[in-house]
Amino acid sequence: MVFSSITFLFYFLPVIIGAYYLAPCKIRNLVLLAGSLFFYAWGEPVYVFLMIISIGLNYAAGILIDKDRNKWILAAGVAVNILILGFFKYADFLIDTVNRMFSFELAYFELPLPIGISFYTFQAMSYLIDIYRRDVKVQRNVIDFATYIALFPQLIAGPIVRLKTIEDKLHRREHNWELFGSGVRRFVIGLGKKVLIANNMGIIWDCVSKGDLTQTPVLTAWIGIAAFTLQIYFDFSGYSDMAIGLGRMFGFEFPENFRHPYMSKSITEFWRRWHITLGSWFREYVYIPLGGNRKGIRVQIINIVIVWFLTGLWHGASWNFALWGLYFAVILVLEKLFLLKLLERIPAVFSHIYTILLVMVSWVIFSLEDTGEIIQYLGSMTGFTSAGFADSMSIYLLTGNLILFLIAGIGATSYPVKMMSKTGKLMENRGVLKGMAECILMIAVLILCTAFITASTYNPFLYFRF
Amino acid sequence: MNENKNKKSVSNILVSVAFLVFIAGFFGVSLFLEDKVFSESENRHLAGSPELSLDRVADGSFSKDFEAYVQDQFPERDGLMSLKTTSEKALGKKDNGLVYFGEDGYLFALEDIDMEQLDKNISYINKFAEENDIDMKIMVVPTASEVLNDKLPEHLYLNAEKNAFDAIEKGVDIPFEDVRDELKEHSDEYIYYRTDHHWTVLGAFYAYESISDRDVELDDYEIKEVSRDFLGTNYSKALLSTIGPDSIHRFDLENDKAKYRMEIYDKGIVTKRFDEPYDPEYLLQKDKYSYFLSGNNPVTVIEKSKKEETEKNTLVVKDSFAHCFIPFIAAERNIVVAADMRYYRNGLAELIEEYEIDEVLFLYNIVNFSNDRNIVFINR
């Protein structure tokens, strides 16, 4: 079930909120767990059992690791998680690579990817390692542990939450209007980002990327990748906002996941602002254990390459994602070696341009699976095709979406948030007025989102009634 | 301090309650709302409540059907769709993914053209020409966006249709009636509906004028408005309330004394009978274009009661664009048989023999001719 659907917004959500708050405090985790399993089973009626098995294994492994901190049990526990993830996500990719390299004809498994598996196995692994490190207490209550792993707000698209950041809330949380209200605000903002901006940007990107790439003029190529750049940010961060908002409605506080990444002045900074919980997971459990920056510059460079190669592959089982990760690894190494010092000295506007350009190029690698297409597209962006600078279609795309681009572009900066909190402070002593204004805005966004969600299923099957 | 906190929580309570009322309100309303079977404005059947069984839950089809169901049955669906298009227009967008917002209140459907299917369809026509010794020709009608391209949003350049016409011109072995230029000459007239993808009777008339052997004049016809509230398929894709409805006209030859009989056949059985090639019942429904020839049917036969030695029997293999065209040629034929390959699968040989057909006219809109997968059945 996705958050931006009628089923979630108007069926699942009112029912789960009602059930949760009507239930006595003692069984609220059970209600959340049951709701989360239903939420997952709705889209993955079979794979929900995989998730339950994974929960059971990690629960048992946690208790065993806690008992005598046996290194081998930890290794086995982590290995099982990696195996599950590897089998369901990367098996066909590996077979395909082997087949191509040695021209074998090994059969594929052709299993659909269990949604959210990359998120919940990463959470489970962090739990086991943290127990071993004595960073977090072992969970003996299986309901509580299962609630942590399956918690529906962050189950299918993150943020990746380490148990220690929510452990106190898992066992005992306070509920008040302030937390619930801020959750509602955050959720509605996230919904708007996803439905009103990301989806519309997606239409532009589809229009450009599904056209004849050999005939794409420079301007069209830039419009397309700008649209994708905005789409992926508003989609990911909108989803994280919705997760954080939903978490608050149930008394949790999840970590922030995106902090206006497109305002960064270097790629190093970008990765401190983009998908923060994923970055810190790799930092905590791969980069630092490998020695991080403590073993000299050569080891550090190797570590950066390993971590970004894995980060790339985490985003999908395809070589372009690995390439995307390595691309960032190279830039990060260069920044570490000398670029960062240079970027600090030049006027800020240039470091902004430097960063956003490199990020946009990275999205070309990210969004097009085929290497030939990536090269073709980069060629179009730089004018290495016969299609020229612009054609009438470029102008059509630009003029028809200018306002949308402006709204999205401004929305990706931190200015709207700053403005909102300023206005909020001005109205602090006028609670009713502030509340009314917020309600009107919120309902307007909700109605618009509902309109876009409902109409997107419109099925133009006209004049055929049988 | 305490007072401050109170004021803070007032806005939080308001926001929280408004949100809960909103989501629970729609939930409650949709529980009590009766399911709609058919959407008049979208002109299609809406999804009904899904069937619940263990198998269907296990393979995920129950969830999918349920999502389609609640989306189709959502309260105020039409209003929400209209709101979406209105806000897209307000944002300066020039299309909503389904229609382009044109000038003078015109909506133009976004169409895909399948060049591979088009090649196949051309080869089916050529195969038919090779195997049948009978006069035949093909007329392909351009879309409104091709003919009225000055009414398209600025800078929009569509070339798929031109490529398709080039392929037909080059590919077909039978005479090809290209009516694009004739229609373009009259592009300032009301030759396409604003809210529907079809051409008007006037558009069909100009095409008829250009291919007829006779000397036909617009003045020979008495023109009557039969409806002034036609909201067609393009309207359904936008539900823009600022777009006014279209008018539908019928053209009657002033000195035509012939009597007609129209019969609709399905699997060889007459299902409906009329005494003219029009079905006035449709004028009371949403799908008013089906006034012409009573809409899409497998086989439609229009026969003059008094046969003339000099007049021919014609078979029209067609889509719905032919419906307002056929009354013109029916006036100069003894019999016109119209076959729609989407619903008639028995091949044309049978019809040619039964009705002693002298000539075959393939009459399609360019989009259907390029995308229809049923033209293969002409050779059955």
Side-chain angles (χ1 to χ4, degrees):
Chain A
M1 205 184 302
V2 292
F3 297 155
S4 53
S5 69
I6 298 294
T7 321
F8 179 82
L9 290 173
F10 300 108
Y11 287 79
F12 182 80
L13 195 54
V15 171
I16 187 79
I17 291 177
Y20 180 84
Y21 281 99
L22 289 177
C25 282
K26 267 188 191 162
I27 65 157
R28 280 182 176 173
N29 275 356
L30 188 63
V31 172
L32 265 186
L33 175 61
S36 298
L37 290 178
F38 179 85
F39 173 89
Y40 193 73
W42 183 259
E44 301 282 9
V46 177
Y47 283 145
V48 70
F49 295 103
L50 177 69
M51 188 170 74
I52 292 170
I53 290 168
S54 170
I55 289 170
L57 287 174
N58 282 295
Y59 171 75
I63 289 173
L64 288 176
I65 293 167
D66 180 62
K67 216 162 143 197
D68 43 25
R69 293 188 72 221
N70 186 323
K71 213 187 254 176
W72 296 107
I73 298 177
L74 171 68
V78 171
V80 166
N81 278 303
I82 292 177
L83 269 177
I84 293 177
L85 184 62
F87 180 72
F88 285 98
K89 190 169 176 181
Y90 298 103
D92 277 357
F93 167 63
L94 277 179
I95 294 171
D96 188 52
T97 307
V98 170
N99 280 353
R100 278 195 212 188
M101 278 170 73
F102 307 105
S103 23
F104 287 173
E105 284 184 18
L106 303 175
Y108 298 98
F109 290 102
E110 291 183 350
L111 290 168
L113 179 71
I115 193 166
I117 191 170
S118 314
F119 289 96
Y120 73 73
T121 46
F122 265 49
Q123 292 200 166
M125 282 193 276
S126 78
Y127 167 69
L128 298 184
I129 298 169
D130 283 355
I131 292 179
Y132 180 80
R133 292 177 177 174
R134 297 277 186 240
D135 265 354
V136 77
K137 268 187 262 157
V138 68
Q139 299 300 307
R140 296 196 186 275
N141 183 330
V142 71
I143 302 286
D144 289 355
F145 177 68
T147 307
Y148 157 64
I149 296 289
L151 202 56
F152 79 87
Q154 41 85 49
L155 178 59
I156 55 171
I160 298 169
V161 183
R162 290 170 68 187
L163 180 57
K164 76 172 185 189
T165 56
I166 59 161
E167 198 200 348
D168 51 335
K169 296 272 166 42
L170 188 62
H171 303 304
R172 212 190 125 87
R173 38 189 190 273
E174 270 180 50
H175 302 92
N176 54 53
W177 287 112
E178 214 175 320
L179 192 62
F180 195 93
S182 82
V184 165
R185 289 188 192 93
R186 192 66 185 268
F187 178 80
V188 174
I189 290 172
L191 185 70
K193 281 163 87 170
K194 159 78 184 143
V195 175
L196 301 180
I197 300 183
N199 288 359
N200 280 308
M201 285 294 159
I203 293 171
I204 305 171
W205 168 242
D206 270 3
C207 176
V208 174
S209 64
K210 291 201 175 121
D212 180 1
L213 291 185
T214 62
Q215 291 303 318
T216 308
V218 178
L219 184 57
T220 306
W222 281 95
I223 292 169
I225 202 61
F228 184 78
T229 302
L230 291 164
Q231 179 194 3
I232 194 164
Y233 168 69
F234 280 98
D235 201 295
F236 277 17
S237 74
Y239 237 89
S240 287
D241 287 338
M242 287 191 270
I244 292 168
L246 288 167
R248 284 185 195 157
M249 291 184 210
F250 297 101
F252 289 94
E253 192 66 66
F254 297 145
E256 288 296 331
N257 216 12
F258 290 85
R259 278 204 312 255
H260 310 294
Y262 293 157
M263 294 192 83
S264 308
K265 286 191 267 188
S266 67
I267 295 298
T268 310
E269 187 189 352
F270 173 78
W271 273 104
R272 276 190 224 122
R273 292 165 171 266
W274 180 274
H275 209 162
I276 299 163
T277 57
L278 179 71
S280 53
W281 194 98
F282 273 107
R283 192 183 155 73
E284 190 71 29
Y285 301 111
V286 184
Y287 183 72
I288 292 175
L290 284 175
N293 59 3
R294 286 164 289 130
K295 293 188 178 171
I297 190 75
R298 280 177 63 185
V299 177
Q300 192 189 359
I301 290 175
I302 293 170
N303 290 343
I304 289 176
V305 171
I306 292 173
V307 164
W308 292 97
F309 177 74
L310 293 176
T311 304
L313 269 189
W314 183 89
H315 286 82
S318 169
W319 281 112
N320 68 306
F321 293 112
L323 190 68
W324 176 75
L326 291 173
Y327 165 90
F328 276 122
V330 170
I331 299 172
L332 288 168
V333 166
L334 291 178
E335 286 192 352
K336 207 125 274 165
L337 292 176
F338 67 93
L339 261 180
L340 218 48
K341 285 192 192 109
L342 190 76
L343 288 169
E344 275 161 15
R345 256 182 269 148
I346 58 174
V349 58
F350 292 114
S351 8
H352 282 303
I353 292 172
Y354 154 90
T355 310
I356 197 74
L357 284 183
L358 286 177
V359 169
M360 284 169 88
V361 169
S362 90
W363 294 135
V364 176
I365 306 171
F366 186 92
S367 58
L368 298 170
E369 254 186 46
D370 181 82
T371 329
E373 280 186 354
I374 295 171
I375 293 167
Q376 182 74 60
Y377 201 93
L378 292 173
S380 297
M381 285 167 69
T382 43
F384 283 101
T385 59
S386 55
F389 177 73
D391 60 14
S392 57
M393 204 60 200
S394 334
I395 312 285
Y396 177 77
L397 279 174
L398 189 65
T399 50
N401 297 295
L402 202 58
I403 300 177
L404 200 62
F405 270 116
L406 277 177
I407 293 173
I410 295 169
T413 68
S414 59
Y415 301 118
V417 181
K418 277 183 193 152
M419 248 182 58
M420 277 202 300
S421 69
K422 244 188 199 165
T423 348
K425 278 214 182 88
L426 277 179
M427 297 171 88
E428 201 164 16
N429 289 323
R430 306 175 148 217
V432 180
L433 189 69
K434 178 170 176 255
M436 299 285 263
E438 282 181 319
C439 281
I440 293 169
L441 265 177
M442 179 184 73
I443 297 289
V445 172
L446 279 174
I447 290 177
L448 265 182
C449 287
T450 313
F452 272 76
I453 293 170
T454 322
S456 67
T457 55
Y458 173 68
N459 182 2
F461 204 62
L462 302 148
Y463 285 116
F464 295 88
R465 288 183 183 183
F466 12 91
Chain B
M1 182 69 204
N2 218 343
E3 195 190 351
N4 205 350
K5 200 171 176 196
N6 263 340
K7 274 176 184 156
K8 221 173 174 179
S9 64
V10 170
S11 69
N12 283 309
I13 293 172
L14 278 174
V15 165
S16 306
V17 171
F19 178 75
L20 291 173
V21 167
F22 186 84
I23 60 171
F26 270 111
F27 177 57
V29 170
S30 56
L31 283 185
F32 292 106
L33 220 59
E34 222 168 283
D35 285 356
K36 266 171 77 176
V37 177
F38 187 79
S39 163
E40 274 279 304
S41 49
E42 290 174 59
N43 198 32
R44 69 180 180 100
H45 283 283
L46 299 174
S49 73
E51 183 194 326
L52 184 62
S53 75
L54 198 60
D55 286 350
R56 292 174 46 74
V57 169
D59 69 11
S61 54
F62 176 77
S63 322
K64 271 200 199 100
D65 290 353
F66 184 86
E67 302 214 343
Y69 165 65
V70 295
Q71 238 140 355
D72 270 6
Q73 301 293 347
F74 200 73
E76 290 306 315
R77 179 179 163 80
D78 285 358
L80 288 168
M81 286 183 59
S82 170
L83 175 67
K84 171 176 180 272
T85 317
T86 311
S87 61
E88 281 172 319
K89 242 192 134 192
L91 271 182
K93 292 194 81 165
K94 293 167 178 180
D95 64 70
N96 72 348
L98 298 166
V99 287
Y100 298 110
F101 308 131
E103 318 227 325
D104 306 334
Y106 265 89
L107 296 170
F108 298 95
L110 269 80
E111 305 281 12
D112 275 326
I113 283 190
D114 183 345
M115 290 299 278
E116 278 173 38
Q117 186 64 39
L118 175 62
D119 282 343
K120 284 188 200 160
N121 290 345
I122 292 172
S123 72
Y124 300 142
I125 301 275
N126 289 342
K127 182 168 180 243
F128 182 80
E130 213 171 274
E131 291 173 359
N132 293 277
D133 185 22
I134 189 166
D135 273 354
M136 57 182 86
K137 57 184 163 191
I138 178 167
M139 179 161 102
V140 180
V141 185
T143 63
S145 42
E146 172 70 20
V147 177
L148 310 180
N149 55 17
D150 57 322
K151 290 189 171 51
L152 281 174
E154 236 186 320
H155 305 298
L156 180 65
Y157 176 71
L158 305 167
N159 62 352
E161 188 165 340
K162 285 194 186 72
N163 296 339
F165 268 106
D166 288 347
I168 296 169
E169 205 160 11
K170 255 185 253 157
V172 289
D173 299 337
I174 60 174
F176 168 50
E177 297 287 354
D178 189 352
V179 291
R180 280 180 291 174
D181 289 340
E182 276 75 18
L183 289 169
K184 276 179 192 169
E185 261 171 45
H186 298 280
S187 65
D188 52 343
E189 294 170 49
Y190 190 33
I191 55 173
Y192 283 92
Y193 296 110
R194 286 178 288 106
T195 69
D196 196 68
H197 63 289
H198 289 107
W199 55 358
T200 63
V201 189
L202 185 61
F205 170 79
Y206 288 125
Y208 164 66
E209 184 188 31
S210 84
I211 73 159
S212 174
D213 310 329
R214 302 190 186 182
D215 196 15
V216 290
E217 300 249 353
L218 200 50
D219 292 342
D220 300 341
Y221 293 88
E222 187 196 335
I223 300 172
K224 224 169 41 192
E225 186 179 67
V226 291
S227 170
R228 56 177 62 188
D229 47 7
F230 174 41
L231 292 168
T233 52
N234 292 344
Y235 179 83
S236 300
K237 293 174 181 176
L239 296 183
L240 257 185
S241 47
T242 50
I243 301 268
D246 274 299
S247 300
I248 295 180
H249 299 87
R250 64 178 278 178
F251 286 32
D252 289 294
L253 257 182
E254 270 179 349
N255 50 8
D256 188 15
K257 295 197 180 69
K259 291 232 170 345
Y260 297 93
R261 193 172 66 185
M262 175 166 78
E263 289 176 333
I264 313 272
Y265 287 85
D266 191 5
K267 299 193 180 79
I269 298 162
V270 179
T271 54
K272 274 192 239 169
R273 229 179 232 123
F274 304 88
D275 53 10
E276 53 177 10
Y278 304 101
D279 182 351
E281 225 165 78
Y282 278 107
L283 292 177
L284 307 172
Q285 299 178 23
K286 151 86 184 166
D287 184 10
K288 294 186 172 52
Y289 182 81
S290 289
Y291 172 66
F292 303 105
L293 247 63
S294 194
N296 290 319
N297 291 295
V299 174
T300 309
V301 179
I302 300 142
E303 211 171 342
K304 262 193 211 159
S305 51
K306 228 173 151 188
K307 307 272 189 307
E308 309 262 350
E309 271 293 301
T310 51
E311 291 187 353
K312 290 178 178 170
N313 296 346
T314 301
L315 169 64
V316 184
V317 183
K318 54 90 199 175
D319 61 19
S320 56
F321 271 70
H323 294 178
C324 62
F325 177 87
I326 283 174
F328 290 115
I329 60 167
E332 48 179 75
R333 305 285 194 281
N334 280 331
I335 298 180
V336 175
V337 180
D340 193 325
M341 304 318 292
R342 288 171 296 187
Y343 314 110
Y344 177 73
R345 301 280 164 83
N346 286 356
L348 302 178
E350 204 176 284
L351 294 175
I352 291 174
E353 197 180 335
E354 188 180 346
Y355 293 98
E356 295 171 6
I357 296 296
D358 306 300
E359 56 170 15
V360 179
L361 170 67
F362 294 96
L363 174 44
Y364 278 88
N365 166 245
I366 182 72
V367 176
N368 279 331
F369 189 67
S370 310
N371 297 352
D372 191 8
R373 293 175 189 279
N374 300 301
I375 297 179
V376 61
F377 295 115
I378 60 176
N379 289 310
R380 197 176 254 193

